[in-house]
Amino acid sequence: MNSEIELDNIIEVINKAQKIAIFTHVSPDGDAVGSSLAFYLGLLQLKKEVSIVTDEFSRCFGFLPHLVDIQREVDDCYDVSIALDCATKGRLFDPKNSFGRSNVTVAIDHHASNTYFAKLNYVEGNSPATCKTLVKIFKRLGITLTKEIGSCLMAGIITDSGGFRYNTVDDETFEFAASMLDLGVDISDIYYRTFDVKTKAQFQLSTLATSRIKFYAKDRIALTYVTLDDMKKTKAMAGDHEGIVNVGRNIEGVEVSVFLREVDKEFYRISMRSNDYVDVSEVASLFGGGGHSRAAGCDIHENLDVAIKKLVKETTKVL
Amino acid sequence: MNSEIELDNIIEVINKAQKIAIFTHVSPDGDAVGSSLAFYLGLLQLKKEVSIVTDEFSRCFGFLPHLVDIQREVDDCYDVSIALDCATKGRLFDPKNSFGRSNVTVAIDHHASNTYFAKLNYVEGNSPATCKTLVKIFKRLGITLTKEIGSCLMAGIITDSGGFRYNTVDDETFEFAASMLDLGVDISDIYYRTFDVKTKAQFQLSTLATSRIKFYAKDRIALTYVTLDDMKKTKAMAGDHEGIVNVGRNIEGVEVSVFLREVDKEFYRISMRSNDYVDVSEVASLFGGGGHSRAAGCDIHENLDVAIKKLVKETTKVL
């Protein structure tokens, strides 16, 4: 369906609804938490009765407003349930399976891989963040952007765009950031709290992985790994490995960065990143994985040495 | 003198001049190289005869336009000499001492510590980058912003603002970035090339320093160092230690990050950063140094162990 007609329908059902629930993906990141809270505050402005449901998230978002309103589960029947920043039904955090029990389900997202699992879906695959996509929707709903709403939206935009780094950041994103500064949103502070600060466990895990980066194929491949034992020793939590794969990618001369994470005995989850020309999704697909040309992943059921050898061999072929 | 009147005078002397030379500071960074090249291209548009002088700079700026026009020295007499992004006369790269021989000298800068060493000085102490200050000046001079000029300006803005991170980034900065995207400037690519990429030596020096971070005062102080021997082993070049002090600062719970760099036998150069409340310039001043409340530095002539003990002792006192 034409996405603008779908958006018209979403605006209409939200306008008509009284009781609305907001959901997002498991392991919520800055864009999940930020978009959920911003939408929650926006719908309160419109005098709706709103529930907001998320799983536990990083303490770094502790400065965001209205965190105490967030529930871990809801069991009611809603006029509309909205899934934010969630690409598939399977990724939705919904312990009581209440999302599908609403009269209407809506999904708003920026993942190009979104499966359109709701009744009404609005997906902007080229948006840097769901929070950025919400700006347009808030305008349509007549929600006034406040400093509180703006802080939530900037938390999502900063974290999901890598600090305005990715090429999904468009002129509207920068213009929105400018308007949020004018509104008094402390972008520099949000940047520091949500993007720069690492827990000691994250820092130690990253340092461990970084210190054991090895180079292959005349330094064009950088490869490292973390084991379950590393996670235990550093007291790392789920998600604390995020970003480690970028360290290798940012070393001059490196075309492909490979990161292996042990998830079980002889079971490694692989992330691959390339810079200029290697299609890492091709390499990942050889191991039953996939992704994009510059960012892909797969699982390998082997011991560490064999997994590394296979990855280096196949990556070297496409260099 | 009123800075706007000073700017009027600068515009006037540039408009009248025919032969102009552009200078910048020693060890030129992204803002020095970017502002110099942008001004060079802008003045060529105005049909001036322009010389551009800089010291050697990082290969990461190799994608910028007209690098072949840059000279290592000039010896002529110019109508106007312009110093960009340079806070003091002593920091100016000018091997033949030709800056002062011009009929008029001009300094354009964003360092609040600028000493107004030229005849005409325009200093925006709250600007994120000299490149951002130039936007206003180009408008006054009638210089058309091209994709080439925009790429140079964005290189300076991205690197000097820590990737739009610091609180000097204002609404105009974001609006300018938006307009540069509209012009076709590849901000994401410039961000990667000038800000993300590390040489192998930088990576290895940083990894070494990071892996030896020690915590003091209940983890509120993070401290690390590099020795001359480390620099030699990793083949690090001047400036390759830049940014290491921020690693400690970004660990949750850390208030003060301290970084010692050996510059000679029993001679350490210290950088200190704080997050929320410690005035590190107070600590630095105890050792004859100074700076700002959140970023300061000093020199200590002691062996490493004594230097660390003294720094930890004095920093703990103000926590």
Side-chain angles (χ1 to χ4, degrees):
Chain A
M1 185 187 274
N2 181 301
S3 69
E4 293 311 312
I5 296 175
E6 195 84 339
L7 183 54
D8 291 342
N9 293 335
I10 290 172
I11 300 301
E12 193 184 334
V13 300
I14 291 175
N15 277 331
K16 282 185 183 164
Q18 182 49 33
K19 203 171 165 185
I20 300 176
I22 295 167
F23 298 82
T24 188
H25 64 75
V26 293
S27 307
D29 57 8
D31 198 25
V33 178
S35 61
S36 296
L37 277 169
F39 216 159
Y40 172 74
L41 295 171
L43 293 175
L44 288 185
Q45 249 186 44
L46 302 180
K47 310 290 182 202
K48 308 291 184 188
E49 187 185 323
V50 199
S51 295
I52 170 172
V53 191
T54 82
D55 200 355
E56 283 184 56
F57 45 78
S58 165
R59 276 175 298 160
C60 78
F61 303 117
F63 70 98
L64 289 175
H66 290 262
L67 293 184
V68 292
D69 298 349
I70 294 179
Q71 297 169 254
R72 284 285 167 268
E73 54 180 50
V74 288
D75 208 0
D76 279 8
C77 191
Y78 293 88
D79 299 334
V80 181
S81 280
I82 305 173
L84 295 172
D85 196 42
C86 186
T88 67
K89 184 76 174 25
R91 289 273 294 159
L92 199 69
F93 179 75
D94 178 18
K96 295 278 184 181
N97 283 309
S98 48
F99 178 76
R101 291 207 301 275
S102 294
N103 297 334
V104 186
T105 59
V106 170
I108 297 169
D109 189 24
H110 78 120
H111 293 93
S113 57
N114 191 292
T115 57
Y116 289 69
F117 60 87
K119 188 182 169 204
L120 299 171
N121 303 275
Y122 187 70
V123 180
E124 278 190 341
N126 55 357
S127 168
T130 296
C131 279
K132 196 259 165 178
T133 296
L134 287 190
V135 176
K136 178 183 189 175
I137 293 172
F138 283 10
K139 202 170 178 183
R140 290 285 303 275
L141 285 168
I143 292 168
T144 306
L145 292 174
T146 62
K147 188 178 165 183
E148 281 194 329
I149 292 176
S151 297
C152 298
L153 294 177
M154 285 312 307
I157 290 171
I158 290 166
T159 52
D160 250 29
S161 72
F164 305 101
R165 181 180 258 108
Y166 304 138
N167 62 12
T168 48
V169 176
D170 57 5
D171 51 356
E172 288 176 4
T173 312
F174 283 123
E175 279 156 11
F176 177 69
S179 71
M180 289 300 98
L181 278 180
D182 292 341
L183 205 62
V185 174
D186 192 342
I187 291 182
S188 180
D189 185 60
I190 295 170
Y191 203 131
Y192 173 71
R193 289 174 187 272
T194 63
F195 193 74
D196 289 338
V197 174
K198 285 183 173 177
T199 64
K200 209 172 166 186
Q202 283 176 310
F203 161 72
Q204 285 170 337
L205 190 70
S206 166
T207 300
L208 194 62
T210 302
S211 65
R212 60 163 78 120
I213 286 182
K214 283 221 159 56
F215 299 91
Y216 300 89
K218 292 181 184 163
D219 293 356
R220 283 177 300 164
I221 301 172
L223 180 147
T224 191
Y225 61 90
V226 297
T227 64
L228 284 169
D229 197 46
D230 297 332
M231 302 280 288
K232 203 171 154 187
K233 272 186 191 155
T234 57
K235 296 177 187 162
M237 314 226 285
D240 279 358
H241 64 280
E242 296 285 348
I244 291 177
V245 69
N246 292 321
V247 178
R249 179 179 169 257
N250 288 338
I251 301 166
E252 193 181 37
V254 170
E255 171 59 21
V256 179
S257 176
V258 183
F259 173 62
L260 299 89
R261 179 168 60 95
E262 187 182 22
V263 287
D264 208 341
K265 192 173 151 53
E266 303 211 337
F267 174 10
Y268 288 85
R269 187 146 283 164
I270 321 296
S271 303
M272 307 181 76
R273 298 287 183 276
S274 64
N275 276 319
D276 286 325
Y277 63 93
V278 166
D279 183 347
V280 282
S281 73
E282 270 185 38
V283 182
S285 70
L286 296 174
F287 300 97
H292 308 278
S293 60
R294 299 286 171 266
C298 59
D299 292 341
I300 297 187
H301 294 266
E302 299 277 9
N303 72 44
L304 183 61
D305 287 345
V306 173
I308 290 174
K309 264 183 199 157
K310 286 187 173 180
L311 284 163
V312 171
K313 188 180 164 194
E314 296 304 333
T315 308
T316 304
K317 282 183 193 170
V318 293
L319 276 172
Chain B
M1 185 186 276
N2 179 303
S3 69
E4 294 310 311
I5 296 175
E6 196 83 341
L7 183 55
D8 292 343
N9 293 335
I10 289 172
I11 301 300
E12 194 185 336
V13 299
I14 291 175
N15 277 332
K16 280 185 182 164
Q18 182 49 35
K19 203 172 165 184
I20 299 176
I22 295 167
F23 297 83
T24 188
H25 63 75
V26 293
S27 307
D29 56 9
D31 198 25
V33 177
S35 61
S36 295
L37 276 170
F39 217 159
Y40 172 74
L41 294 172
L43 293 175
L44 288 185
Q45 249 186 43
L46 302 179
K47 310 288 180 201
K48 308 291 184 187
E49 186 185 325
V50 198
S51 295
I52 171 171
V53 190
T54 82
D55 200 355
E56 283 185 55
F57 46 77
S58 163
R59 276 175 299 159
C60 78
F61 303 116
F63 70 98
L64 289 175
H66 290 264
L67 293 183
V68 292
D69 297 349
I70 295 178
Q71 296 169 256
R72 284 286 167 267
E73 55 180 50
V74 288
D75 207 1
D76 279 8
C77 190
Y78 293 88
D79 300 333
V80 180
S81 281
I82 305 173
L84 295 172
D85 196 43
C86 185
T88 67
K89 185 75 171 36
R91 289 272 295 160
L92 200 69
F93 178 76
D94 178 18
K96 295 279 183 179
N97 283 309
S98 48
F99 179 76
R101 290 206 302 274
S102 294
N103 296 334
V104 186
T105 60
V106 170
I108 298 169
D109 190 23
H110 77 120
H111 293 92
S113 57
N114 190 293
T115 57
Y116 290 70
F117 59 89
K119 189 183 170 205
L120 298 171
N121 303 275
Y122 186 70
V123 180
E124 277 190 343
N126 56 357
S127 168
T130 296
C131 279
K132 196 258 166 177
T133 297
L134 287 190
V135 176
K136 178 183 190 175
I137 293 173
F138 284 10
K139 202 171 179 181
R140 291 286 304 276
L141 285 167
I143 291 168
T144 305
L145 292 174
T146 61
K147 189 177 165 184
E148 281 194 330
I149 290 176
S151 298
C152 298
L153 293 177
M154 285 313 306
I157 289 171
I158 290 166
T159 52
D160 251 29
S161 73
F164 305 100
R165 180 179 259 105
Y166 304 137
N167 63 11
T168 48
V169 175
D170 57 6
D171 52 354
E172 288 176 3
T173 312
F174 283 123
E175 280 157 10
F176 177 68
S179 71
M180 290 300 99
L181 278 180
D182 292 341
L183 205 62
V185 174
D186 191 341
I187 291 182
S188 180
D189 185 60
I190 295 170
Y191 203 131
Y192 173 72
R193 290 175 186 272
T194 63
F195 193 73
D196 290 336
V197 174
K198 284 182 174 176
T199 64
K200 209 170 166 184
Q202 281 175 310
F203 162 72
Q204 285 170 335
L205 190 71
S206 167
T207 300
L208 194 63
T210 301
S211 65
R212 58 163 79 119
I213 285 182
K214 284 222 158 55
F215 298 92
Y216 301 88
K218 294 180 183 165
D219 293 357
R220 284 177 298 164
I221 302 172
L223 180 147
T224 192
Y225 60 89
V226 297
T227 63
L228 285 171
D229 197 45
D230 298 330
M231 303 279 286
K232 205 171 153 187
K233 272 185 192 158
T234 58
K235 296 178 186 162
M237 314 227 284
D240 280 356
H241 64 280
E242 297 286 349
I244 290 176
V245 70
N246 291 321
V247 178
R249 179 180 169 258
N250 288 339
I251 301 167
E252 193 181 38
V254 169
E255 170 60 22
V256 179
S257 176
V258 183
F259 173 62
L260 300 89
R261 179 168 59 95
E262 187 182 22
V263 287
D264 208 341
K265 193 175 152 53
E266 302 211 338
F267 174 12
Y268 287 85
R269 187 146 285 163
I270 321 297
S271 303
M272 307 181 76
R273 298 286 183 277
S274 64
N275 275 320
D276 286 325
Y277 62 93
V278 167
D279 184 347
V280 283
S281 73
E282 271 183 36
V283 182
S285 70
L286 297 173
F287 300 98
H292 308 278
S293 60
R294 299 286 170 266
C298 59
D299 292 342
I300 297 187
H301 293 265
E302 299 277 9
N303 71 46
L304 183 62
D305 288 344
V306 173
I308 289 175
K309 265 183 200 158
K310 287 187 173 180
L311 284 162
V312 171
K313 188 181 166 194
E314 296 304 334
T315 307
T316 303
K317 281 185 194 169
V318 293
L319 276 173

